[in-house]
Amino acid sequence: MRPSLLRSASQLLRRNRRRDYSAAAGGQPERKVAILGAAGGIGQPLALLMKLNPLVSSLSLYDIAGTPGVAADVSHINSPALVKGFVGEEQLGEALEGSDVVIIPAGVPRKPGMTRDDLFNINAGIVKGLCTAISKYCPNALVNMISNPVNSTVPIAAEVFKKAGTYDEKKLFGVTTLDVVRAKTFYAGKANVPVTEVNVPVVGGHAGITILPLFSQATPATNALCHEDIKALTKRTQDGGTEVVEAKAGKGSATLSMAYAGAVFADACLKGLNGVPNVVECSFVQSTVTELPFFASKVTLGKNGVEEVHGLGQLSDFEKEGLENLKGELKSSIEKGIKFAHAN
Ligand SMILES: NC(=O)c1ccc[n+]([C@@H]2O[C@H](COP(=O)([O-])OP(=O)(O)OC[C@H]3O[C@@H](n4cnc5c(N)ncnc54)[C@H](O)[C@@H]3O)[C@@H](O)[C@H]2O)c1
Ligand SMILES: O=C(O)C[C@H](O)C(=O)O
C-alpha cells in the first residue's frame, strides 16, 4: 500500500475509534465513581455493576486490602469505564481525587443475633476516617453511605463534613434502596402483579421498625390485600436484612441484592448530575419532613444532588402509627452518631 494511503487509512481508523468511544459513552460528561470497601462482599459485585454502567468513565476501587486483584479482574470487561485499584490509606487521596460520586460499603457486616447498632463501635470510626478524606480530596462529590448503622453513619458523615467546612446537605445520602427493592419484590409476590411495574415508597430510616414501607401508596394499586397481608409485608420488609443474615448463618449480610440496590441508587445520582429530569429515589437525607433532622423519603436528584425532598403523602392509619413508633429509635440513633463525631 502507498505510504499516503496507509496514512489516511490509519487516520480514518483513529477517527472511527474516537467515534465508537463517544457513542459507547453515550455522549455523556466524564464521571468518576469511587467505591470505598471495594474488595468486600458488597464492594466486589458493586464494582462489577458500576463497570457496566455507561455513565461511568472512571472507576476507582479502594480498600485496605485486596483491591489490586478486584481491579485487575473487573478492568478486563470491555465497557468504557477505566478501572484503577487503590490499597491502603496512603493511596486513599488518589482514589478519591476528582470523584463525582463516592459509594461507601466499608465496614463490618452483622452476624446472627446482632442488630445494626451493634456494628456502631467499629463502623463509626471507619466512616469518620473515610469522610475526613472525602472532605479533603473530593469535597463536592455525592456521598452514598451504605455502611451500617446507616441511621448513625449518615449523621456522623454530616458532622465530619461540617467540621471540615465542606458540608452540603444536598450531597449526602444514606442508601435505603434495598428496602425499596425488597418492598417491591414482596408486594409483587403477594399482590400477584408484575414486579417490574411495582413502585413502593419506603420512608423513615434503615433498621427494624424505622423502615416504614408505604404499601397504601404502592402501584399498581390492588384491593387483593387485606390488613393482615399489609402487616405481614411490612414486617417482612423491616426484617429483610435479618432474613438474609440468618440464612447466611454467620457468613455476613446481604451483598448481592445490596450491590444491585447500590448500583440503582448510584445510577440515579449520575443521571441527576447529568441533568436527566424527574429522577426520584427514596434516600435517608437531611430533612424537614418530620421533626427529625434526617429522614428517608422520596428525593428528586438533580445536577447538585438533592433537588427536592418530598413529603410523605397520604398515610393509612397503620402507617401513621408506624411513623410515630419509629421516631424514638431513629432520633436516638441520629443523636448517637452526632455525639460520636463530636467526641472523636
Ligand atoms: N445500607 C444497606 O442497605 C446495607 C445493606 C447491606 C449491608 N450493609 C452494610 O455494608 C457494610 C459492608 O458489608 P459487606 O457485606 O460488604 O462487608 P465485608 O466485610 O464483606 O466488606 C467490607 C469491606 O470493607 C473493607 N474495609 C474495612 N475498613 C475499611 C476502611 N477503613 N477503608 C476501606 N475499606 C475498609 C474491608 O476490608 C472489606 O473488604 C456493612 O456495614 C453492612 O452492614 C448496608
Ligand atoms: O441487615 C443488615 O445487617 C444489612 C443491611 O442493612 C440489610 O438491610 O440487608
Side-chain angles (χ1 to χ4, degrees), residues 323-342:
L323 177 62
E324 288 317 307
N325 289 342
L326 71 79
K327 285 181 181 170
E329 180 182 330
L330 188 48
K331 183 169 185 282
S332 61
S333 299
I334 293 169
E335 284 169 354
K336 186 171 175 179
I338 295 173
K339 198 168 155 206
F340 171 87
H342 286 179

Side-chain angles (χ1 to χ4, degrees), residues 109-110 116 119 148 178-179 182 206 211 240-242 244-245 253-254:
R110 282 201 283 165
R116 290 177 183 81
L119 306 172
N148 270 317
L178 183 52
D179 303 317
R182 287 176 176 142
H206 178 69
I211 300 168
T242 307
V244 178
V245 168
S253 57

Side-chain angles (χ1 to χ4, degrees), residues 30-33 58 93-101 137-139 141:
E30 305 260 295
R31 294 291 178 201
K32 176 172 172 179
V33 173
S58 167
E94 202 189 330
L96 288 172
E97 245 158 17
S99 294
D100 297 288
V101 176
Y137 295 104
C138 56

Side-chain angles (χ1 to χ4, degrees), residues 125-140:
I126 292 175
V127 162
K128 185 167 181 270
L130 294 173
C131 289
T132 303
I134 290 169
S135 65
K136 189 164 169 201
Y137 295 104
C138 56
N140 294 318

Side-chain angles (χ1 to χ4, degrees), residues 42 75 98 152 178 195 221 238 240 251 282:
I42 296 166
S75 73
S152 303
L178 183 52
V195 71
Q238 292 173 333
K251 297 232 162 63
C282 290

